[in-house]
Amino acid sequence: MGDGGGRELRVGEPAPDFELAGIDGATGAACTHSLREHRGTPVVLAFYPADSSPVCTRQLVSYTAGIAELAALDAVLLAISPQDVASHRDFAAAHGGFAFPLLSDTDKAVGRSYGIVGLLDLYRRSTFIIDADGVVAHAHRYLGPGLGYKPLAQIAGLVASIAG
């Protein structure tokens, strides 16, 4: 796992709780989200390496365009990266906003608890689906630079399959 540390979280394990500051992606307003506040609802965690990078921008813009697919399943999407709240606000404003919160894991503690911090202490692009009971139902981590991402339609299909 390189010098990032942390153990890889596995499907079937309880998802580590967290509370992170961030912004409402649509309005830029400050917010705080925890995993526990979404208990009873499937949650998609989209860990991404950096605000304003080309792949991350395409990923979050495409997720915003397809958010209705998750909303139809009563699922919540939380996007998490190591940049601070001010960076998130600038990133969202530059792209007309996002349809979900952008949360700041500046010390990478949440990333480490999910096992997605890799070589050189960098975030690996990763997607987790947490079921309504707070258990990891799906985990996908890109190796290396993660130049692709899991399409939202595919994520929504996985959420639908775990929701029963």
Side-chain angles (χ1 to χ4, degrees):
M1 176 131 345
D3 51 339
R7 167 184 93 67
E8 284 199 2
L9 187 64
R10 306 245 181 250
V11 169
E13 294 182 347
D17 194 21
F18 58 81
E19 184 169 311
L20 292 173
I23 63 152
D24 177 299
T27 67
C31 66
T32 301
H33 280 271
S34 66
L35 187 58
R36 71 186 160 279
E37 79 187 67
H38 297 290
R39 190 61 59 93
T41 303
V43 178
V44 175
L45 300 178
F47 290 95
Y48 67 100
D51 289 344
S52 300
S53 70
V55 177
C56 296
T57 299
R58 281 195 307 275
Q59 178 183 13
L60 299 191
V61 167
S62 75
Y63 285 6
T64 293
I67 198 69
E69 293 183 68
L70 285 181
L73 300 167
D74 293 324
V76 173
L77 177 92
L78 301 174
I80 304 171
S81 80
Q83 288 74 46
D84 64 22
V85 171
S87 175
H88 287 338
R89 189 171 287 116
D90 292 345
F91 178 41
H95 297 285
F98 296 111
F100 40 81
L102 304 182
L103 303 179
S104 297
D105 182 23
T106 55
D107 64 1
K108 301 178 187 162
V110 175
R112 283 189 185 85
S113 71
Y114 280 78
I116 62 95
V117 178
L119 291 174
L120 305 175
D121 205 35
L122 299 174
Y123 254 41
R124 293 183 346 204
R125 186 177 316 284
S126 305
T127 308
F128 289 80
I129 299 172
I130 312 305
D131 71 15
D133 296 321
V135 174
V136 177
H138 174 81
H140 181 262
R141 297 169 185 88
Y142 273 93
L143 299 177
L147 298 177
Y149 52 87
K150 194 172 278 293
L152 194 62
Q154 189 177 1
I155 293 168
L158 291 165
V159 171
S161 72
I162 63 141

